[in-house]
Amino acid sequence: MSIALIILAAGKGTRMGSDLPKVLHRIAHAPMLWHAMRAGQALAPERTVVVTGHEADMVGASARDFDPETRVVLQTEQKGTAHAVAQAAPALDGFTGDAIVLYGDTPFISQDKLEEMARARSRHDVVVLGFNATDPGRYGRLVTEGDALLRIVEYKDATEDERSIALCNSGVVAADATLLMDLISEVGNSNAAGEYYLPDIVAIARARGLSAGVVPCDESETLGVNSRAELAQAEAAFQRCARLRLMEDGVALQAPETVWLAWDTVIGRDAEIEPNVVFGPCVTIESGARIRAFSHLEGCHVSRGAIVGPFARLRPGAELAEHSRVGNFVEIKNAHLGAGAKANHLTYIGDADIGERTNIGAGTVTCNYDGFFKHRTTIGKDAFIGSDTMLVAPVTVGDGAMTGSGSVVTKNVAPGDLAIGRARQENKPGMARALRDMLRAKKQKQTKG
Ligand code: UD1
Ligand code: MG
């Protein structure tokens, strides 16, 4: 069965108190919209349509960043959820199969649930994702009779009896795409809000003798975000789930509640993550790697057996080969550290390639930027970079070469050579003693006077 996703994202989200459209606020470093889009991808949709309205260009661009094939449509005026879905019709031209409607501000619908809904379509013409709310508040209520879903009533339009129903509408709906548009064409707006309600399609379908059913889900999946406080709650909920999932997959998290994950963090089995580690987007940690306390990682790849931190910073393009070692107060950006290579203390490595087993001494800096251009540093394997070496890029240090501590290396160093680029040391016998005597005498004279 072909699937089309319709994701509603036209709303303004006034309660966020923000210039940024609501669906672009981030949870675990990804816009909420991407979370919804990612869940939908489990169904391998043939088409994805995002309905935009408020700040449409920005929302459309973000949707296309996630999936360049996304069809973006515009709802110029927000007249209700049924009206929003109707705007997707031209983008579904020529499509046959099921349509599933998701909300851009409901980021936690699981892939499993969407698959369950797709399966439930073999039993019902219209399938609605429902949940038992601990506080049903202003959600739409699902009026059922046995297994059958009779209709959905919005809170504003509900009687006292209907408001006492705890089974609520998540907003997620699945139906044949052509049927969905056909049902929507019958939806009117004579209700308390004067809006075209998507949930009205249930009663319309029933009146035609079609069947509607509910797939139940946990309330946590339907968590929507309407305010900054709810965004923070959503972040916390995401982190809780993501940490649990990692531990279930065999990752060791010593103090899970202190580890911050991104929406796309990948960590292999038996990797160890110490307390207070922060993951930005695009990080992959292989099995058995160890990330020590207080490290910050983004856009990087750490291979098996590598050890990072404590207090390390891996920035985009950091690529650590097997058993390499990055210690405290070391920053690595757009650089490859070969297998078994080490940069243990107080170092900046940017735009560089470091060969296997090479040792980078404390305080080493690749001077990669001249204010206009970035330049690369290339160091071969088994090299030894003395402490406090400044490598002024572009520069190459050959296999097995060494640099003397405190050197400023501006010229290439051939394999096996030793480069020393520092002022020659001169010792003045007894001079320290003489200097001290002279200074002491001066000070005594001053205090007497
Ligand atoms: C909707 C449902 C309600 C359900 C609740 C779950 C309707 C009429 N009611 O109510 O039964 O319990 O969600 O959260 O559908 N949107 C548009 N264009 C519009 C209107 C809305 O794109 O013209 C988008 C919004 O941006 C949002 C989603 O649709 O992402 C839902 O709209 P919202 O106004 O939040 O509906 P609720 O009142 O929460
Ligand atoms: Mg809502």
Side-chain angles (χ1 to χ4, degrees), residues 7-13 22-23 51-53 75 77-85 101-106 131 136 138-142 152-156 168-172 191 193 195-200 222-226:
I7 303 180
L8 305 189
K12 184 160 183 243
K22 175 160 81 173
V23 295
V51 181
T52 63
Q75 183 193 27
E77 221 184 315
Q78 278 70 71
K79 296 182 183 171
T81 43
H83 180 258
V85 173
V101 179
L102 298 173
Y103 292 172
D105 62 353
T106 309
F131 63 102
R138 304 186 69 82
Y139 287 115
R141 306 297 207 270
L142 303 185
I152 304 177
V153 55
E154 286 306 298
Y155 175 82
K156 282 185 187 168
C168 292
N169 176 27
S170 72
V172 182
N191 51 50
E195 282 185 6
Y196 296 88
Y197 293 161
L198 178 62
D200 282 0
T222 66
L223 186 76
V225 173
N226 295 298

Side-chain angles (χ1 to χ4, degrees), residues 351-435:
D351 303 305
D353 295 287
I354 315 293
E356 293 166 21
R357 296 176 301 278
T358 282
N359 188 83
I360 308 287
T364 295
V365 173
T366 55
C367 311
N368 58 331
Y369 187 48
D370 56 20
F372 294 90
F373 300 100
K374 297 278 173 66
H375 303 282
R376 255 190 123 69
T377 299
T378 307
I379 302 175
K381 56 187 180 202
D382 299 305
F384 184 93
I385 305 300
S387 294
D388 201 29
T389 298
M390 299 293 118
L391 296 152
V392 182
V395 73
T396 299
V397 177
D399 292 348
M402 296 175 102
T403 68
S405 298
S407 290
V408 178
V409 177
T410 55
K411 288 185 273 190
N412 291 346
V413 184
D417 282 4
L418 166 68
I420 304 179
R422 63 186 183 211
R424 189 173 285 276
Q425 179 171 334
E426 207 182 322
N427 289 359
K428 311 267 188 196
M431 184 79 134
R433 224 176 300 122
L435 186 62

Side-chain angles (χ1 to χ4, degrees), residues 192-250:
E195 282 185 6
Y196 296 88
Y197 293 161
L198 178 62
D200 282 0
I201 63 165
V202 171
I204 296 168
R206 296 274 313 178
R208 290 189 190 182
L210 301 172
S211 84
V214 183
V215 165
C217 78
D218 194 84
E219 191 172 1
S220 58
E221 285 195 38
T222 66
L223 186 76
V225 173
N226 295 298
S227 62
R228 299 270 184 181
E230 284 174 11
L231 184 68
Q233 282 165 12
E235 178 75 43
F238 177 91
Q239 295 295 338
R240 255 193 321 273
C241 282
R243 291 164 187 148
L244 265 180
R245 212 176 312 121
L246 282 180
M247 291 188 279
E248 280 162 16
D249 290 347

Side-chain angles (χ1 to χ4, degrees), residues 151-382:
R151 63 201 161 84
I152 304 177
V153 55
E154 286 306 298
Y155 175 82
K156 282 185 187 168
D157 304 283
T159 62
E160 276 310 309
D161 270 1
E162 287 165 336
R163 285 181 182 179
S164 69
I165 299 173
L167 186 61
C168 292
N169 176 27
S170 72
V172 182
V173 176
D176 172 82
T178 314
L179 173 69
L180 177 70
M181 293 303 170
D182 193 35
L183 294 170
I184 282 176
S185 69
E186 273 189 49
V187 172
N189 66 347
S190 44
N191 51 50
E195 282 185 6
Y196 296 88
Y197 293 161
L198 178 62
D200 282 0
I201 63 165
V202 171
I204 296 168
R206 296 274 313 178
R208 290 189 190 182
L210 301 172
S211 84
V214 183
V215 165
C217 78
D218 194 84
E219 191 172 1
S220 58
E221 285 195 38
T222 66
L223 186 76
V225 173
N226 295 298
S227 62
R228 299 270 184 181
E230 284 174 11
L231 184 68
Q233 282 165 12
E235 178 75 43
F238 177 91
Q239 295 295 338
R240 255 193 321 273
C241 282
R243 291 164 187 148
L244 265 180
R245 212 176 312 121
L246 282 180
M247 291 188 279
E248 280 162 16
D249 290 347
V251 177
L253 299 183
Q254 239 178 50
E257 65 287 354
T258 67
V259 173
W260 290 84
L261 301 157
W263 71 299
D264 57 353
T265 305
V266 177
I267 307 183
R269 192 185 160 92
D270 287 321
E272 272 179 72
I273 314 295
E274 289 188 358
N276 297 300
V277 173
V278 176
F279 292 92
C282 288
V283 175
T284 309
I285 308 292
E286 285 188 16
S287 284
R290 185 167 170 212
I291 312 298
R292 306 206 52 202
F294 297 100
S295 294
H296 189 283
L297 297 84
E298 59 187 318
C300 62
H301 174 230
V302 178
S303 305
R304 279 165 191 275
I307 304 178
V308 174
F311 298 99
R313 177 159 188 220
L314 301 186
R315 290 175 50 207
E319 171 76 39
L320 272 53
E322 293 184 11
H323 302 289
S324 57
R325 174 84 176 84
V326 171
N328 42 262
F329 309 109
V330 172
E331 172 178 345
I332 307 222
K333 183 220 73 172
N334 191 26
H336 179 263
L337 205 57
K342 291 181 191 149
N344 273 334
H345 339 262
L346 300 158
T347 282
Y348 172 64
I349 296 176
D351 303 305
D353 295 287
I354 315 293
E356 293 166 21
R357 296 176 301 278
T358 282
N359 188 83
I360 308 287
T364 295
V365 173
T366 55
C367 311
N368 58 331
Y369 187 48
D370 56 20
F372 294 90
F373 300 100
K374 297 278 173 66
H375 303 282
R376 255 190 123 69
T377 299
T378 307
I379 302 175
K381 56 187 180 202
D382 299 305

